[in-house]
Amino acid sequence: MLFIFDMGGVVTTTFDMQVIFNKLNTTKEDFFNICNQHNDNIWDKLETGNISTVDFWKTFNSRVESLQRNLFDGFLKIGGKVKSSHEVQIQNIPKVEIDLFRLYFNPKIQEKTCELIKNLRKKHRVVCGTNTIQSHWENHTERGDYAIFDKTYASNKINCAKPNPHFFELILEAENYKPEETFFVDDKQNNIDAAKSLGINAELMTTPEELYKKWKKYF
């Protein structure tokens, strides 16, 4: 059988994007609105490997500077009236000079999940199926986190991200397994739903201990 494990939130702790929002003095909503400005979603492009981290932050900075310039010009045109709290927030977003995704990325290993993977690999094929970005891929690689798997399928390398069902189709094709022969675990329900739509046996992650109990029968 084939077992597919998500990475963040399953094998390691997940990355908390709130630290990025706090650093930029912005909200999750505004951050992703900036990412998707002009219907050109640079976050999606980053996650599917279609732009580098350097290009992401370069474009993000450019978009913020444009918003701030437009707000300042509008401020002058209306005679310098008090700005709304949202406008003040946009004006306070600083220029990003360093890769914040890398700077704040310090995942911790879930030991019980790793124990499960090692036991499953004695009889089965076990791979990683993860949505990730260049900075996090490089960090995990340097730490040797992917070495626990037979192979890793990362969104930034296969140019497709969950919950797109094609993400799973690519893995099944590469591994030559049928959906009914495949098990998948993830900490996000929409990814679970996408896998199930193909007939994959999918399990929503609760705790490493609970997953171990459920899957130890396959050792």
Side-chain angles (χ1 to χ4, degrees):
M1 290 186 289
L2 174 66
F3 288 83
I4 307 172
F5 282 73
D6 177 39
M7 195 67 176
V10 176
V11 181
T12 67
T13 52
T14 192
F15 180 62
D16 184 7
M17 284 286 289
Q18 188 59 48
V19 69
I20 301 288
F21 309 146
N22 292 344
K23 176 67 176 178
L24 298 179
N25 303 315
T26 191
T27 63
K28 176 181 179 179
E29 181 181 13
D30 278 346
F31 178 85
F32 285 108
N33 281 341
I34 291 168
C35 287
N36 196 31
Q37 215 174 42
H38 315 303
N39 290 318
D40 178 23
N41 197 319
I42 57 173
W43 174 260
D44 284 352
K45 286 184 174 180
L46 181 64
E47 198 169 50
T48 54
N50 287 304
I51 59 171
S52 68
T53 305
V54 169
D55 286 338
F56 173 91
W57 286 121
K58 181 179 179 180
T59 303
F60 184 88
N61 283 334
S62 176
R63 291 179 178 183
V64 169
E65 289 168 4
S66 178
L67 284 171
Q68 291 173 338
R69 186 165 53 251
N70 290 340
L71 285 173
F72 182 73
D73 290 344
F75 178 69
L76 294 178
K77 287 178 182 178
I78 60 175
K81 293 183 179 179
V82 177
K83 301 176 185 177
S84 69
S85 58
H86 181 259
E87 289 175 327
V88 170
Q89 198 169 46
I90 293 294
Q91 289 286 11
N92 286 337
I93 296 176
K95 183 177 182 179
V96 179
E97 304 281 3
I98 188 172
D99 180 11
L100 301 180
F101 297 131
R102 185 64 183 265
L103 181 66
Y104 294 120
F105 190 56
N106 298 293
K108 294 180 175 59
I109 294 291
Q110 304 277 26
E111 296 294 346
K112 198 65 176 178
T113 306
C114 291
E115 183 183 346
L116 172 61
I117 291 169
K118 290 174 183 177
N119 281 319
L120 287 171
R121 284 187 68 189
K122 293 174 183 178
K123 292 184 178 180
H124 307 287
R125 178 81 170 169
V126 184
V127 303
C128 179
T130 179
N131 283 0
T132 193
I133 60 176
Q134 178 187 349
S135 307
H136 295 177
W137 165 269
E138 291 172 354
N139 186 267
H140 278 307
T141 300
E142 289 168 6
R143 288 161 38 116
D145 294 341
Y146 297 128
I148 196 172
F149 296 105
D150 290 309
K151 188 171 180 177
T152 296
Y153 297 91
S155 62
N156 68 315
K157 296 298 181 181
I158 64 175
N159 305 120
C160 186
K162 298 173 286 186
N164 187 337
H166 188 52
F167 177 90
F168 301 101
E169 291 173 338
L170 288 169
I171 297 176
L172 293 175
E173 179 182 356
E175 293 291 331
N176 196 27
Y177 276 87
K178 297 176 181 178
E180 60 269 24
E181 300 171 328
T182 304
F183 292 78
F184 169 64
V185 60
D186 198 287
D187 61 327
K188 294 181 175 60
Q189 186 63 53
N190 59 342
N191 296 336
I192 294 298
D193 294 340
K196 284 185 174 180
S197 73
L198 298 176
I200 294 172
N201 303 285
E203 188 77 42
L204 182 66
M205 183 69 169
T206 52
T207 67
E209 291 74 21
E210 282 299 311
L211 182 65
Y212 191 96
K213 290 178 184 178
K214 289 178 180 178
W215 282 4
K216 68 179 182 179
K217 61 186 176 183
Y218 299 110
F219 295 171

